[in-house]
Amino acid sequence: MFQVVPHAVAADVLGGSRDAVLAAVEQAYLAHDKGDTVNPPSHFLRFPDRPANRIIALPAYLGGEVGMPGLKWISSFPGNHELGLPRASAVLLLNDDRTGRPVACLESAHISAARTAASAALAVRALRPRGGPVSLGFVGTGVIAATIAAYLHHTALEVTRFVCHDLVTGRSERFVSDAEKHWPGRGAAGDLEAALGCDVVVLATTAGEPYLPETLRFRAGQTVLNISLRDIHPRTLLAAQNIVDDVDHCLRAATSPQLAEELSGGREFVTGTLADVLTGRCAPGEQEPVVFSPFGLGVLDIAVGAVVLERAADDPRTVAVPGFLED
């Protein structure tokens, strides 16, 4: 029977399933590395008269124990903040692998945020295997940054202090107030330079093109999570070790890594993928900074959506729709 999983159910399931989400995302990366996935390029619906807005379709198939195809349809309309609405909204359609029939529609804004945050937390754990205390900087303090903070705390990242910067007045202060539940008394709003100077830097903005200066160089030992993909000047990337989720996916759609490819004339600047690091095939050195640029694979949404669907099945707020499909 076709099921509809509304926002409240998905959010509640995700709030109590971070270990399962982390495991599902890691297994999805490894399945993708082994070729046990189908992950076509994402498709962007853009609006010429409103260039800040976009809707993205991410079709994917995740094999292995999940064995499920699906499609995420996610919009980003930054102007929604002025209407009192979230910037992003999304749905995830999941299909039966044997018949191809759709089995569920899940509200997916939080699923998307959770898979992004789990990917970031896995990257920090893999790229800083020695652990130890760190300073943590956030550039952009929306839902994605808040979810990343929650997952970094869940994975027991030891944070000595955190600094956040946002162009929207008041948002940094609200972020500090929220994130201090993870790291009490250790947060402050600060300028861009202070946030970029931390040991671990999270870039989670809606920038459409690089705005950080061409002269910026991250220091040895820094780990930069390039979540928004378009903040960093390509020359800065070329002076760092670069880890991506998937080379072909990441080097497209005018991302900073694609601009670095065009500037350098090749892909030699890419050190490896996160799966390379997870499997031990790649071990970035400590003599240079490391930038992790995840384009965001649709198979991660399928992996997390499968966790949510399984755990939401018995929730009375999940809506079963008899007769939705023709028998």
Side-chain angles (χ1 to χ4, degrees):
M1 190 177 297
F2 189 79
Q3 298 183 81
V4 178
V5 180
H7 156 76
V9 178
D12 287 350
V13 169
L14 290 168
S17 305
R18 290 195 179 110
D19 286 332
V21 169
L22 285 161
V25 168
E26 182 170 8
Q27 289 305 309
Y29 274 128
L30 297 176
H32 185 65
D33 182 63
K34 293 188 295 184
D36 200 8
T37 64
V38 180
N39 205 105
S42 303
H43 297 278
F44 288 71
L45 177 62
R46 299 187 184 276
F47 306 88
D49 59 331
R50 293 165 290 160
N53 298 341
R54 66 189 184 194
I55 308 179
I56 312 174
L58 290 85
Y61 168 72
L62 177 58
E65 295 182 2
V66 177
M68 186 173 286
L71 169 75
K72 181 173 75 170
W73 180 242
I74 182 166
S75 68
S76 175
F77 279 53
N80 280 359
H81 288 304
E82 300 174 7
L83 304 175
L85 296 172
R87 172 188 61 83
S89 57
V91 294
L92 177 65
L93 294 174
L94 298 177
N95 297 71
D96 180 85
D97 188 30
R98 183 176 63 88
T99 66
R101 289 162 69 90
V103 296
C105 176
L106 299 84
E107 191 280 329
S108 193
H110 278 62
I111 290 173
S112 185
R115 65 85 149 140
T116 301
S119 171
L122 286 171
V124 171
R125 189 165 66 188
L127 295 171
R128 304 183 71 91
R130 295 186 180 182
V134 299
S135 57
L136 179 59
F138 293 91
V139 180
T141 55
V143 171
I144 296 298
T147 311
I148 290 173
Y151 270 80
L152 291 175
H153 175 259
H154 186 76
T155 53
L157 182 69
E158 186 179 354
V159 174
T160 57
R161 62 182 179 90
F162 69 91
V163 180
C164 56
H165 173 75
D166 198 292
L167 293 178
V168 179
T169 303
R171 189 178 291 174
S172 293
E173 288 77 8
R174 291 193 295 272
F175 184 88
V176 170
S177 177
D178 183 61
E180 282 203 330
K181 67 187 178 187
H182 307 310
W183 305 291
R186 292 174 234 177
D191 59 20
L192 179 61
E193 184 178 0
L196 292 174
C198 291
D199 300 322
V200 176
V201 179
V202 180
L203 298 173
T205 74
T206 57
E209 59 185 22
Y211 61 88
L212 296 177
E214 178 180 349
T215 56
L216 173 65
R217 296 293 182 269
F218 296 113
R219 70 174 186 275
Q222 272 189 294
T223 303
V224 180
L225 304 177
N226 184 27
I227 304 301
S228 38
L229 289 174
R230 297 171 180 84
D231 306 62
I232 304 173
H233 192 280
R235 291 197 185 278
T236 305
L237 284 187
L238 294 176
Q241 301 171 96
N242 288 276
I243 302 297
V244 300
D245 52 0
D246 179 284
V247 178
D248 289 333
H249 282 264
C250 193
L251 273 64
R252 61 187 300 269
T255 63
S256 294
Q258 183 186 20
L259 299 180
E261 178 187 25
E262 294 172 355
L263 181 63
S264 66
R267 298 182 170 184
E268 292 77 10
F269 71 94
V270 177
T271 310
T273 66
L274 183 56
D276 289 331
V277 179
L278 292 172
T279 57
R281 294 194 301 263
C282 172
E286 299 179 358
Q287 297 76 29
E288 297 178 88
V290 181
V291 179
F292 174 55
S293 299
F295 192 81
L297 302 177
V299 291
L300 304 184
D301 296 286
I302 305 298
V304 177
V307 171
V308 172
L309 182 61
E310 178 183 9
R311 300 188 177 201
D314 296 328
D315 192 304
R317 296 170 295 175
T318 296
V319 181
V321 187
F324 181 78
L325 297 173
E326 180 183 5
D327 292 333

